[in-house]
Amino acid sequence: MNARSFFLTASVLLLASCRQDMHDPPRYRPLAASEFFGDGRASRPRIADTVARGGLRLDKRLYKGREGGALIDTIPMPVTRKMLERGRQRFDIYCSICHGQLGDGDGMVVQRGFRQPPSYHLDRLRRQPVGHYFDVITNGFGAMAGYASRVPVEDRWAIVAYVRALQLSQNATIDDVPAGDRSKLEGR
Ligand code: HEC
């Protein structure tokens, strides 16, 4: 036996005795069947009255837009330029198709026949507290579906802040512009 065939034979023997335990761990694929559990499901349902790690939502202002049952009228997060820009981007993606980019209610889907939403610039809606907008995005309103499954809580508030900015943009007067910035508007 030369050296080459000795090593070949030795490695074949070594590999053959190698156990596969670490390579094929016993596990279930998601939603697979199981004979171990009485209901035959490998994926276990959530246990009643428990909260998943990271899922505790005690802050009712942030998660419900309410305090003591009443809708709140201040945004429960710091409103920054970055947040407004995020809100504009999310609004343009999720809302403008129906509400229009200015919130007039003339989005493309409406032009194609979907029920027309009210303009955000109606007095009735301008007077609504921010909690109402959060609630409408979260739970839907009449013909409009809720967006809780697609838009996370922080993004919902960013959209609310941007809707407020849209409302101001359509109803602002020159007095709302800081004196130092008014000259920038001239000549436009
Ligand atoms: C598929 C079209 C559609 C989309 C997308 C949509 N809406 Fe609406 N929305 C409507 C319609 C239609 C109504 C009027 C519902 C009614 O009165 O039955 C409405 C109503 C509203 C109202 C007014 C509620 C009131 O008090 O009268 C607000 C505020 C609102 N939507 C915000 C949003 C925001 C914010 C988004 C994006 C996250 C959004 N909508 C996405 C169609 C849409």
Side-chain angles (χ1 to χ4, degrees):
M1 191 182 269
N2 63 24
R4 188 152 174 263
S5 48
F6 171 79
F7 278 116
L8 265 177
T9 318
S11 43
V12 165
L13 283 174
L14 271 174
L15 282 176
S17 61
C18 202
R19 294 178 46 158
Q20 286 291 306
D21 287 3
M22 301 292 280
H23 297 276
D24 303 317
R27 64 178 167 81
Y28 288 113
R29 291 182 186 280
L31 304 180
S34 160
E35 287 174 5
F36 182 78
F37 295 104
D39 61 3
R41 292 186 285 178
S43 300
R44 308 309 303 149
R46 204 178 284 168
I47 299 166
D49 301 325
T50 59
V51 177
R53 185 183 289 229
L56 194 59
R57 296 185 153 197
L58 289 181
D59 187 343
K60 293 273 175 286
R61 289 170 54 81
L62 186 66
Y63 293 110
K64 301 252 183 249
R66 289 176 184 272
E67 187 161 38
L71 293 167
I72 56 174
D73 202 13
T74 45
I75 293 179
M77 285 174 59
V79 178
T80 60
R81 185 182 177 98
K82 199 165 160 238
M83 181 218 207
L84 281 173
E85 280 167 0
R86 172 86 182 165
R88 171 163 67 184
Q89 188 208 41
R90 297 291 109 177
F91 178 87
D92 285 350
I93 293 171
Y94 288 108
C95 320
S96 69
I97 47 167
C98 291
H99 287 271
Q101 286 196 305
L102 288 179
D104 294 326
D106 62 351
M108 191 50 79
V109 176
V110 174
Q111 293 172 39
R112 295 273 189 274
F114 193 77
R115 178 172 167 170
Q116 178 159 33
S119 162
Y120 294 151
H121 312 301
L122 297 177
D123 279 346
R124 171 178 78 78
L125 281 178
R126 291 178 61 214
R127 277 197 297 268
Q128 287 288 355
V130 288
H132 176 65
Y133 291 85
F134 183 83
D135 187 61
V136 172
I137 302 175
T138 305
N139 301 313
F141 185 91
M144 179 189 144
Y147 281 78
S149 63
R150 278 150 290 173
V151 183
V153 167
E154 285 76 11
D155 281 350
R156 280 178 241 161
W157 284 115
I159 291 175
V160 173
Y162 182 65
V163 168
R164 276 288 191 250
L166 279 180
Q167 289 173 326
L168 181 62
S169 78
Q170 302 304 298
N171 289 279
T173 66
I174 192 72
D175 298 328
D176 293 316
V177 182
D181 288 331
R182 283 180 202 168
S183 61
K184 291 187 198 161
L185 293 174
E186 281 158 19
R188 292 217 170 196

